[in-house]
Structures are given as structure tokens and as C-alpha cells.
Amino acid sequence: MAEASVTPDPTALEETAAIARDLIRMDTTNFGEGRSNGEREAAEYVEARLRGLGLEPRIFESEPGRASVVARVPGRNPAKPALVLHGHLDVVPADARNWSVDPFGGEIRDGMLWGRGAVDMKDMDAMILTALGDILGEGRLPERELVVAYFADEEAGGVYGASHLVDRHPELFAGATEAISEVGGYSITVGGQRAYLLQTGEKTLIWIRLIARGVAAHGSRLIRDNAVTRLAAAVARLGEVEWPVRLTDTTEELLREIARVTGADPTETSPDELALATGSASGFITATLRTTTNPTGLTAGYKHNVIPDRAEALVDIRTLPGEEDAVLDQVRRLVGEDVEIEIVHRDVGLESPTPGPLVDAVRRSLAAHDPGAPVFPYLLSGGTDNKSLSRLGIRGYGFAPLRLPDHLDFPAMFHGVDERVPLDALVFGRRVLRDLLLDY
């Protein structure tokens, strides 16, 4: 008897999108300061997927529920150093009242996958799995050994994830010299031409808490020593300060490339004007030209008619690499001697070289799928788990390849409302990443 033919289901979701959707439906919200829904469910899902590829992944918990996954993939060329390929499983909070879809529903709409983590970074988590699956499923190996890692707690500085593993289990990354992760590889439009950003550096993150103290009193009294007033003035000074433009090697190279593509004269066009030529990507790029000090939280008082004796504010400071101490000194002068500064978290700035074999391989893999599109290096205004890995001497890059439509404000998707990624961009990323791992 002849076998019945099977007709593919045209409505079936491509594997990368299906995996990303599954991960989005797992609420791995990280509220910061140790408060989290935990990554255990997502870690077990990824662990099972990796095991299904014939690998031997391990789950590590730094605290109950704060789970990371690490696996090794052998390479064809054992003489080459290993490459760390990593993502994170946690996401920032999402207020469903502000979304047009359930942020943890993994809804497919308008040719896109919607939900918290769709771009930060459960899309890349899925692309790693399917790109590896394509390689291993063909009976092949990547060019070099890979350390595949899915970390917990990236959205709160990696204390319970990458930082924990680097400190407690550095042997997991033995032999690795470079790493690839998020917030790079996506397309932008410059001068009417599509180009791709490769993240080759990261600003330093310094989270501080400002504390003002005063006299507790009845709300009807005349109190000049008011903690809220003192704090508000300090917060306003930090939020309104204009930090000067300073170009690093990375941003100088990026601006030269933008000027070349647009035909602008870099001696006559300001760095900010050149950055704006990248369209929506300027939301990231303009912030890399200078330090930023953004107030992000206020806490004071407990009743309308009680003047509190303490007020607090959170400020997110991002400095250029090497400017950390000078910026903190300036922050202390701006807030004044009567406001205390507590450093909640501080990490390092990064700037990796742009010439080199990895960057060349990135360009080759993109050229195979989008011929003629240039690749620009850029400095990330935020940060990734590459910072933790740098303590082991591992140079980090951001390359989660996505070919995006011109109209999509992709940077706004990071930690924003109605986060979403095109389904065809996930397929593109899977193929580009596969080729990169086979080549490099």
C-alpha cells in the first residue's frame, strides 16, 4: 500500500517563532533588587531543547528559581578558541493596561510576534536554538567550539545569572575568547539604504540611589528642612544637565560610515545630526555620544498631611568607557553635600576592536542574505551580560540578526509597550546565525 502524502499546514508557525512564542508565554519578569518570577520554567524548556539536539546542558541555580543553562557544542576546528553564544531568559515588567495585547500571550498579529521579550531577547534565544538545530540536524558541527548559555537576571545586572556563573563556575567558559549576544545585527535605513548595526561596545552602567533627610512634621507647618524639596531639586539638576559630546573610537567610526553613506561632510555636520540620519536607531545612538543621567524612581512619604523625614530617588547613569569616576564626581557636585549617594550597582564599559576575523565573518554572513548592505559598528547605550564575561577576558559583541521593515521603530521595542518582532525577521536571523557559526 502506498503511503499517504502529507500536506504541510500553511498556517503552521515556523520553528523559531514557535519557540520564541513558547518562551514569551512563560512569565519570567524580573522586578530588580532580587525580586523576580524566576527563570526556572524557561530554563527547563531550553534545557530540554538543547538535550533534544544531542547536547548535555546543565542548569545552575544561584537562588531558588533563578536558573541559567549552559551547554558545550564541539567544533570542527579544535585549534580555534571557543565562542560564547548567549541569551537571557528574564524580561522587564510589563503593565498589561498599557498594551494592546496580552504581554505574555505570544500573539501573532500583522505578521509579527507580540509580547514581552519578543525583541529583548527571547527572539535571539529562539534563533540560537534553531540555528544550532539546523547545523547539528545536518550532521555538521560549527567551525569552532561553542559555549551556549542562557542566563538569568540580565535585566538587573546579572547578579543571579552571568555574574554568578563567572564568579562561581568560570570553568564553564574555559577556552573562550569572544562572545555574541543581543542588541546588534538589526537593520536600519540610512540615506535610503539598508545597513546593519554590529554592537562592538557598551556604556558603563551605574545605578545610584539619592537619599535626602529632613524634619518630620505636620503637613500644615512651615518647614524649610523638607526632604522631598531637597531631593526634588537634586533630581531636577541631574535630569536636566547637558553632558558634553565625547566620541570614542567606535562612535567616530560609526559617524564616518554614516557620513559616507549619506554624503554628509563630517566636518560641517554635528555628531547629533549624523546620528539622527539613522532614523529610529538614533534613539540608541544619540545616547552613546555622551553620558546620560536619568531619574527613574521616587519614593517619599506615607500620608498626605505628614512631611516625611526621608526621600529617595533612583537614577540610571550611563557613562562612556573610562569616564565613570569623573562622572560620579560631577554627580556629587550637582546633587549637593546634603543629599547622600548610594551606589546600588556598578559595572564596566566595553569597547571591542572592530577590525578582525569575527567582524569579517559577520559581514560575510549578512552579505550572503542581504548583498550590498553595509555593517556599521556602534556603541550600545545599555548593557548586556558581555560585561560579566569580560571579567574572564572574553570580548563581547552584539549580533542578533534581523532584517526589519523601514517603518518599525525597533529601539522603542526594548522595554517598551507592544513589543513585537516580524516573523520573517526571525527566519532571516536563523539563517544568518547558522551561516556565521559554520563560517567562524
Side-chain angles (χ1 to χ4, degrees), residues 8-205:
D9 180 1
T11 65
L13 201 57
E14 185 270 337
E15 186 183 16
T16 314
I19 292 172
R21 181 183 61 182
D22 289 347
L23 290 170
I24 287 169
R25 289 174 175 174
M26 300 171 192
D27 183 352
T28 54
T29 299
N30 187 344
F31 300 98
E33 299 184 339
R35 297 186 304 112
S36 169
N37 291 341
E39 298 88 353
R40 182 77 200 197
E41 181 185 9
E44 290 177 349
Y45 176 92
V46 168
E47 190 265 353
R49 285 274 180 176
L50 290 169
R51 198 169 294 282
L53 298 178
L55 304 174
E56 298 181 359
R58 296 171 62 192
I59 293 180
F60 298 84
E61 276 196 338
S62 53
E63 295 286 344
R66 309 310 305 272
S68 300
V69 185
V70 181
R72 284 251 176 183
V73 183
R76 290 195 306 271
N77 191 338
K80 289 186 174 182
L83 174 71
V84 183
L85 186 62
H86 64 98
H88 63 83
L89 297 171
D90 61 324
V91 296
V92 296
D95 186 344
R97 295 171 297 181
N98 300 327
W99 286 57
S100 59
V101 299
D102 176 358
F104 297 103
E107 184 172 329
I108 306 297
R109 180 193 292 188
D110 302 326
M112 296 190 181
L113 171 63
W114 297 59
R116 179 58 88 214
V119 304
D120 188 12
M121 63 170 299
K122 291 176 176 179
D123 59 339
M124 178 62 165
D125 292 341
M127 288 192 292
I128 291 171
L129 287 172
T130 53
L132 282 176
D134 289 342
I135 294 170
L136 299 176
E138 296 167 359
R140 305 174 73 181
L141 292 175
E143 171 62 14
R144 64 181 67 214
E145 184 180 23
L146 302 177
V147 180
V148 179
Y150 289 88
F151 294 123
D153 198 40
E154 190 274 348
E155 297 292 1
V159 174
Y160 297 100
S163 184
H164 172 82
L165 291 182
V166 164
D167 290 340
R168 302 289 185 88
H169 300 281
E171 73 282 355
L172 295 172
F173 310 100
T177 58
E178 293 172 310
I180 290 175
S181 188
E182 60 177 332
V183 203
Y186 61 91
S187 68
I188 61 174
T189 302
V190 182
Q193 179 180 356
R194 187 163 53 241
Y196 291 85
L197 290 175
L198 172 65
Q199 189 258 98
T200 59
E202 303 179 10
K203 293 175 77 176
T204 306
L205 180 153

Side-chain angles (χ1 to χ4, degrees), residues 136-323:
L136 299 176
E138 296 167 359
R140 305 174 73 181
L141 292 175
E143 171 62 14
R144 64 181 67 214
E145 184 180 23
L146 302 177
V147 180
V148 179
Y150 289 88
F151 294 123
D153 198 40
E154 190 274 348
E155 297 292 1
V159 174
Y160 297 100
S163 184
H164 172 82
L165 291 182
V166 164
D167 290 340
R168 302 289 185 88
H169 300 281
E171 73 282 355
L172 295 172
F173 310 100
T177 58
E178 293 172 310
I180 290 175
S181 188
E182 60 177 332
V183 203
Y186 61 91
S187 68
I188 61 174
T189 302
V190 182
Q193 179 180 356
R194 187 163 53 241
Y196 291 85
L197 290 175
L198 172 65
Q199 189 258 98
T200 59
E202 303 179 10
K203 293 175 77 176
T204 306
L205 180 153
I206 306 174
W207 285 338
I208 64 171
R209 178 180 286 110
L210 303 182
I211 304 170
R213 304 180 192 275
V215 175
H218 196 286
S220 66
R221 291 184 58 190
L222 176 60
I223 299 294
R224 304 199 185 279
D225 188 14
N226 188 309
V228 175
T229 303
R230 183 177 300 115
L231 178 75
V235 167
R237 287 193 294 271
L238 275 186
E240 294 171 355
V241 63
E242 289 287 339
W243 295 94
V245 169
R246 186 177 78 79
L247 304 183
T248 69
D249 292 343
T250 302
T251 50
E252 283 186 342
E253 184 176 348
L254 169 64
L255 296 179
R256 283 197 303 270
E257 287 296 300
I258 294 171
R260 179 183 62 80
V261 170
T262 60
D265 183 347
T267 64
E268 299 291 333
T269 311
S270 73
D272 280 315
E273 289 178 284
L274 288 171
L276 289 173
T278 63
S280 63
S282 64
F284 277 164
I285 294 171
T286 55
T288 68
L289 306 179
R290 52 177 62 78
T291 288
T292 58
T293 48
N294 286 311
T296 55
L298 294 168
T299 305
Y302 48 89
K303 195 172 188 298
H304 211 134
N305 61 347
V306 178
I307 297 173
D309 60 3
R310 180 185 175 104
E312 299 182 0
L314 302 178
V315 183
D316 188 332
I317 303 173
R318 309 289 174 131
T319 81
L320 298 171
E323 290 193 346

